[in-house]
Coordinates of all heavy atoms in Angstrom, one line a residue:
M1155 N -4.9 7.5 9.1 CA -3.4 7.6 9.3 C -2.7 7.8 8.0 O -3.3 7.7 6.9 CB -2.9 6.2 9.9 CG -2.8 5.1 8.9 SD -2.4 3.5 9.6 CE -4.1 2.9 10.0
N1156 N -1.5 8.2 8.1 CA -0.7 8.4 6.9 C 0.5 7.5 6.9 O 1.2 7.3 7.9 CB -0.2 9.8 6.7 CG -1.4 10.7 6.4 OD1 -2.1 10.5 5.4 ND2 -1.5 11.8 7.2
I1157 N 0.9 6.9 5.8 CA 2.1 6.1 5.7 C 3.0 6.7 4.7 O 2.6 7.3 3.7 CB 1.7 4.6 5.2 CG1 0.9 4.0 6.3 CG2 3.0 3.8 4.9 CD1 0.5 2.5 5.9
E1158 N 4.3 6.7 5.0 CA 5.3 7.4 4.1 C 5.4 6.6 2.8 O 5.6 5.4 2.7 CB 6.6 7.4 4.8 CG 7.6 8.3 4.0 CD 8.9 8.4 4.8 OE1 8.8 9.1 5.9 OE2 9.9 7.9 4.4
C1159 N 5.4 7.4 1.7 CA 5.5 6.8 0.4 C 7.0 6.4 0.2 O 7.9 7.1 0.4 CB 5.1 7.8 -0.7 SG 5.4 7.3 -2.4
S1160 N 7.2 5.1 -0.3 CA 8.5 4.6 -0.5 C 9.2 5.2 -1.7 O 10.4 5.1 -1.9 CB 8.5 3.1 -0.5 OG 7.7 2.7 -1.6
M1161 N 8.4 5.8 -2.6 CA 8.9 6.3 -3.8 C 9.4 7.8 -3.6 O 10.5 8.1 -4.0 CB 7.8 6.3 -4.9 CG 8.2 6.7 -6.2 SD 9.4 5.6 -7.0 CE 8.3 4.2 -7.4
C1162 N 8.5 8.6 -3.0 CA 8.9 10.0 -2.9 C 8.9 10.6 -1.5 O 9.3 11.7 -1.3 CB 7.8 10.8 -3.7 SG 6.2 10.9 -2.9
G1163 N 8.6 9.8 -0.5 CA 8.6 10.2 0.9 C 7.4 11.0 1.3 O 7.3 11.6 2.4
G1164 N 6.4 11.1 0.4 CA 5.2 11.9 0.7 C 4.2 11.1 1.5 O 4.6 10.0 2.0
K1165 N 3.1 11.6 1.7 CA 2.1 11.0 2.5 C 1.1 10.1 1.7 O 0.6 10.6 0.7 CB 1.2 12.0 3.3 CG 2.1 12.9 4.2 CD 2.6 12.1 5.4 CE 3.3 13.1 6.3 NZ 4.0 12.4 7.4
V1166 N 0.9 8.9 2.2 CA -0.1 8.1 1.6 C -1.3 7.9 2.6 O -1.1 7.3 3.7 CB 0.4 6.7 1.3 CG1 -0.7 5.8 0.6 CG2 1.6 6.8 0.4
P1167 N -2.4 8.6 2.4 CA -3.5 8.5 3.4 C -4.2 7.1 3.4 O -4.5 6.6 2.3 CB -4.5 9.6 2.9 CG -4.2 9.7 1.4 CD -2.7 9.4 1.2
V1168 N -4.3 6.6 4.6 CA -4.9 5.3 4.8 C -6.0 5.4 5.8 O -5.8 5.7 6.9 CB -3.9 4.2 5.3 CG1 -4.5 2.9 5.5 CG2 -2.7 4.1 4.3
P1169 N -7.3 5.0 5.4 CA -8.4 5.1 6.3 C -8.2 4.1 7.5 O -7.6 3.0 7.3 CB -9.6 4.6 5.5 CG -9.2 4.8 4.0 CD -7.7 4.6 4.0
E1170 N -8.7 4.4 8.6 CA -8.5 3.6 9.8 C -9.1 2.2 9.7 O -8.7 1.2 10.2 CB -9.0 4.3 11.1 CG -8.1 5.4 11.5 CD -8.5 6.0 12.8 OE1 -9.2 5.3 13.5 OE2 -8.1 7.1 13.1
D1171 N -10.2 2.2 8.9 CA -10.9 0.9 8.7 C -10.6 0.2 7.4 O -11.4 -0.5 6.8 CB -12.5 1.2 8.8 CG -12.9 2.1 7.7 OD1 -12.1 2.8 7.0 OD2 -14.1 2.2 7.5
V1172 N -9.4 0.5 6.9 CA -9.0 0.0 5.6 C -8.9 -1.6 5.7 O -8.6 -2.1 6.8 CB -7.6 0.6 5.2 CG1 -6.5 0.0 6.1 CG2 -7.3 0.3 3.7
I1173 N -9.2 -2.2 4.6 CA -9.1 -3.7 4.6 C -8.0 -4.2 3.6 O -7.7 -3.4 2.6 CB -10.5 -4.3 4.2 CG1 -10.9 -3.8 2.8 CG2 -11.5 -4.0 5.3 CD1 -12.2 -4.5 2.3
K1174 N -7.6 -5.4 3.8 CA -6.6 -6.0 2.9 C -7.1 -6.0 1.5 O -8.2 -6.4 1.2 CB -6.3 -7.4 3.4 CG -5.2 -8.1 2.7 CD -4.9 -9.5 3.3 CE -3.8 -10.2 2.5 NZ -3.6 -11.5 3.1
G1175 N -6.2 -5.6 0.6 CA -6.6 -5.7 -0.8 C -7.1 -4.3 -1.4 O -7.2 -4.1 -2.6
E1176 N -7.4 -3.4 -0.5 CA -7.8 -2.1 -0.9 C -6.6 -1.3 -1.5 O -5.5 -1.5 -1.2 CB -8.4 -1.3 0.3 CG -9.2 -0.1 -0.1 CD -10.1 0.3 1.1 OE1 -10.5 -0.5 1.9 OE2 -10.3 1.5 1.2
V1177 N -6.9 -0.4 -2.4 CA -5.9 0.4 -3.1 C -5.9 1.8 -2.7 O -7.0 2.4 -2.6 CB -6.0 0.3 -4.6 CG1 -5.0 1.2 -5.3 CG2 -5.9 -1.2 -5.1
V1178 N -4.7 2.3 -2.3 CA -4.6 3.7 -1.9 C -3.5 4.4 -2.8 O -2.7 3.7 -3.3 CB -4.2 3.9 -0.4 CG1 -5.4 3.4 0.5 CG2 -3.0 3.1 -0.1
S1179 N -3.5 5.7 -2.9 CA -2.6 6.4 -3.7 C -1.8 7.4 -3.0 O -2.4 8.1 -2.1 CB -3.3 7.0 -4.9 OG -4.0 6.0 -5.7
C1180 N -0.6 7.6 -3.3 CA 0.2 8.7 -2.7 C -0.3 10.1 -3.2 O -0.6 10.2 -4.4 CB 1.7 8.5 -3.2 SG 2.7 9.9 -2.7
T1181 N -0.5 11.0 -2.3 CA -1.0 12.3 -2.7 C 0.0 13.1 -3.4 O -0.3 14.1 -4.1 CB -1.5 13.1 -1.4 OG1 -0.4 13.2 -0.5 CG2 -2.6 12.4 -0.8
D1182 N 1.3 12.8 -3.3 CA 2.4 13.6 -4.0 C 2.7 13.1 -5.4 O 2.7 13.8 -6.3 CB 3.6 13.6 -3.1 CG 3.5 14.5 -1.9 OD1 2.5 15.3 -1.9 OD2 4.3 14.5 -1.0
C1183 N 3.0 11.8 -5.5 CA 3.4 11.2 -6.8 C 2.4 10.4 -7.5 O 2.5 10.0 -8.6 CB 4.7 10.5 -6.6 SG 4.5 8.9 -5.8
G1184 N 1.3 10.1 -6.8 CA 0.2 9.3 -7.4 C 0.4 7.8 -7.5 O -0.4 7.1 -8.1
L1185 N 1.5 7.3 -6.9 CA 1.8 5.9 -7.0 C 0.7 5.1 -6.3 O 0.3 5.5 -5.2 CB 3.1 5.6 -6.4 CG 3.6 4.2 -6.4 CD1 3.9 3.8 -7.9 CD2 4.9 4.0 -5.6
D1186 N 0.2 4.1 -6.9 CA -0.8 3.2 -6.3 C -0.2 2.2 -5.4 O 0.7 1.5 -5.8 CB -1.7 2.6 -7.4 CG -2.6 3.6 -8.0 OD1 -3.0 4.6 -7.4 OD2 -2.9 3.4 -9.2
Y1187 N -0.8 2.0 -4.2 CA -0.4 0.9 -3.3 C -1.6 0.0 -3.0 O -2.7 0.5 -2.9 CB 0.1 1.5 -2.0 CG 1.4 2.2 -2.1 CD1 1.5 3.5 -2.3 CD2 2.6 1.5 -1.9 CE1 2.7 4.2 -2.3 CE2 3.8 2.1 -2.0 CZ 3.9 3.5 -2.2 OH 5.1 4.1 -2.2
E1188 N -1.3 -1.3 -2.9 CA -2.4 -2.2 -2.4 C -2.1 -2.5 -0.9 O -0.9 -2.7 -0.5 CB -2.3 -3.5 -3.2 CG -3.4 -4.5 -2.8 CD -3.4 -5.7 -3.6 OE1 -3.0 -5.7 -4.8 OE2 -3.8 -6.8 -3.1
I1189 N -3.1 -2.6 -0.1 CA -3.0 -2.9 1.3 C -2.6 -4.4 1.4 O -3.4 -5.2 1.0 CB -4.2 -2.6 2.1 CG1 -4.7 -1.2 1.9 CG2 -4.0 -3.0 3.6 CD1 -3.7 -0.2 2.4
Q1190 N -1.4 -4.7 1.9 CA -1.0 -6.1 1.9 C -1.4 -6.7 3.2 O -1.7 -7.9 3.2 CB 0.6 -6.1 1.8 CG 1.1 -7.5 1.7 CD 2.6 -7.5 1.4 OE1 3.3 -6.6 1.8 NE2 3.1 -8.4 0.6
N1191 N -1.4 -6.0 4.3 CA -1.7 -6.5 5.6 C -2.2 -5.4 6.6 O -1.7 -4.3 6.4 CB -0.5 -7.2 6.2 CG -0.6 -8.7 6.2 OD1 -1.6 -9.3 6.7 ND2 0.4 -9.4 5.7
T1192 N -3.0 -5.8 7.5 CA -3.5 -4.8 8.5 C -3.4 -5.4 9.9 O -4.2 -5.1 10.8 CB -4.9 -4.4 8.2 OG1 -5.8 -5.6 8.2 CG2 -5.1 -3.7 6.9
D1193 N -2.4 -6.3 10.1 CA -2.2 -7.0 11.4 C -2.0 -6.0 12.5 O -1.0 -5.2 12.5 CB -1.1 -8.0 11.3 CG -1.4 -9.1 10.4 OD1 -2.6 -9.4 10.2 OD2 -0.5 -9.8 9.9
N1194 N -2.8 -6.1 13.6 CA -2.6 -5.3 14.8 C -2.5 -3.8 14.5 O -1.8 -3.1 15.2 CB -1.4 -5.8 15.6 CG -1.4 -7.2 15.9 OD1 -2.5 -7.7 16.4 ND2 -0.4 -8.0 15.8
G1195 N -3.2 -3.4 13.5 CA -3.2 -1.9 13.2 C -1.9 -1.5 12.5 O -1.7 -0.3 12.2
N1196 N -1.0 -2.5 12.2 CA 0.2 -2.1 11.6 C 0.0 -2.4 10.1 O 0.1 -3.6 9.6 CB 1.3 -3.0 12.1 CG 2.7 -2.6 11.6 OD1 2.8 -1.6 11.0 ND2 3.7 -3.4 11.8
V1197 N -0.2 -1.4 9.3 CA -0.6 -1.6 7.9 C 0.6 -1.6 7.0 O 1.6 -0.8 7.1 CB -1.5 -0.4 7.4 CG1 -1.8 -0.5 6.0 CG2 -2.8 -0.3 8.3
T1198 N 0.7 -2.6 6.2 CA 1.8 -2.8 5.2 C 1.2 -2.6 3.8 O 0.2 -3.1 3.5 CB 2.3 -4.2 5.3 OG1 2.7 -4.5 6.7 CG2 3.6 -4.4 4.5
L1199 N 2.0 -1.8 3.0 CA 1.6 -1.6 1.7 C 2.5 -2.3 0.7 O 3.7 -2.5 1.0 CB 1.7 -0.1 1.4 CG 0.9 0.9 2.3 CD1 1.2 2.3 1.8 CD2 -0.6 0.6 2.2
K1200 N 2.0 -2.6 -0.5 CA 2.9 -3.0 -1.5 C 2.5 -2.3 -2.8 O 1.3 -1.9 -3.0 CB 2.8 -4.5 -1.7 CG 1.4 -5.1 -2.1 CD 1.5 -6.6 -2.2 CE 0.1 -7.2 -2.5 NZ 0.1 -8.6 -2.6
T1201 N 3.4 -2.0 -3.7 CA 3.1 -1.3 -4.9 C 2.5 -2.2 -5.9 O 2.6 -3.4 -5.8 CB 4.4 -0.7 -5.5 OG1 5.3 -1.7 -5.8 CG2 5.1 0.2 -4.5
A1202 N 1.9 -1.6 -6.9 CA 1.3 -2.4 -8.0 C 2.3 -3.2 -8.7 O 2.1 -4.4 -9.1 CB 0.6 -1.4 -9.0
E1203 N 3.5 -2.7 -8.8 CA 4.6 -3.5 -9.5 C 4.9 -4.8 -8.7 O 5.2 -5.8 -9.3 CB 5.9 -2.6 -9.7 CG 5.6 -1.5 -10.7 CD 6.9 -0.7 -10.9 OE1 7.9 -1.1 -10.3 OE2 6.8 0.3 -11.6
E1204 N 4.9 -4.7 -7.4 CA 5.2 -5.8 -6.6 C 4.1 -6.9 -6.7 O 4.4 -8.1 -6.6 CB 5.4 -5.4 -5.1 CG 6.7 -4.7 -4.9 CD 6.8 -4.1 -3.5 OE1 6.5 -4.9 -2.6 OE2 7.2 -3.0 -3.3
V1205 N 2.9 -6.4 -6.9 CA 1.8 -7.3 -7.1 C 2.0 -8.2 -8.3 O 1.8 -9.4 -8.2 CB 0.5 -6.5 -7.3 CG1 -0.7 -7.5 -7.6 CG2 0.1 -5.8 -6.0
K1206 N 2.5 -7.7 -9.4 CA 2.7 -8.4 -10.6 C 3.7 -9.5 -10.4 O 3.7 -10.6 -11.0 CB 3.2 -7.5 -11.7 CG 2.1 -6.6 -12.2 CD 2.7 -5.6 -13.2 CE 1.6 -4.5 -13.5 NZ 2.2 -3.4 -14.3
E1207 N 4.7 -9.3 -9.4 CA 5.7 -10.3 -9.2 C 5.2 -11.5 -8.4 O 5.9 -12.5 -8.3 CB 6.9 -9.6 -8.4 CG 7.6 -8.6 -9.3 CD 8.7 -7.9 -8.5 OE1 8.8 -8.2 -7.3 OE2 9.3 -7.0 -9.0
D1208 N 4.0 -11.5 -8.0 CA 3.4 -12.6 -7.3 C 3.1 -13.8 -8.1 O 2.8 -14.9 -7.7 CB 2.1 -12.2 -6.5 CG 2.4 -11.3 -5.3 OD1 3.6 -11.3 -4.9 OD2 1.5 -10.7 -4.8
W1209 N 3.2 -13.6 -9.4 CA 2.8 -14.7 -10.4 C 3.5 -16.0 -10.1 O 2.9 -17.0 -10.1 CB 3.3 -14.3 -11.8 CG 2.4 -13.2 -12.4 CD1 1.4 -12.6 -11.8 CD2 2.6 -12.6 -13.7 NE1 0.9 -11.6 -12.7 CE2 1.7 -11.6 -13.9 CE3 3.5 -12.9 -14.7 CZ2 1.6 -10.9 -15.0 CZ3 3.4 -12.1 -15.9 CH2 2.5 -11.1 -16.0
G1210 N 4.8 -16.0 -9.9 CA 5.6 -17.2 -9.8 C 5.4 -18.1 -8.6 O 5.9 -19.2 -8.6
E1211 N 4.6 -17.6 -7.7 CA 4.5 -18.4 -6.4 C 3.5 -19.6 -6.6 O 2.5 -19.5 -7.2 CB 4.0 -17.5 -5.3 CG 5.1 -16.5 -4.9 CD 4.6 -15.7 -3.7 OE1 4.5 -16.3 -2.6 OE2 4.4 -14.5 -3.8
Ligands
ZN1441 ZN1 4.8 9.2 -3.5

């Protein structure tokens, strides 16, 4: 499947058997995303910058 890049609107290819924590990259701008969730086939991505913000929790 492909998910729309929040940065440039391009395609981020995501394997159907992707697992949480895996890293995928936008084919257009190269931005790296980490798989945040794969609940019910509904894949959620977060950017590397958002990962860093998890410190305070
Ligand atoms: Zn992009």
Side-chain angles (χ1 to χ4, degrees):
M1155 78 185 89
N1156 289 305
I1157 294 181
E1158 187 174 297
C1159 177
S1160 61
M1161 184 69 72
C1162 72
K1165 301 291 187 187
V1166 183
V1168 178
E1170 288 187 17
D1171 60 348
V1172 72
I1173 57 171
K1174 184 178 179 180
E1176 197 162 328
V1177 175
V1178 294
S1179 300
C1180 175
T1181 55
D1182 284 351
C1183 72
L1185 184 66
D1186 288 331
Y1187 288 94
E1188 183 179 331
I1189 306 299
Q1190 185 173 35
N1191 252 310
T1192 58
D1193 292 337
N1194 301 318
N1196 187 13
V1197 177
T1198 307
L1199 304 178
K1200 60 182 177 181
T1201 63
E1203 290 182 6
E1204 290 174 42
V1205 174
K1206 292 174 186 170
E1207 292 175 2
D1208 284 348
W1209 288 359
E1211 290 188 67

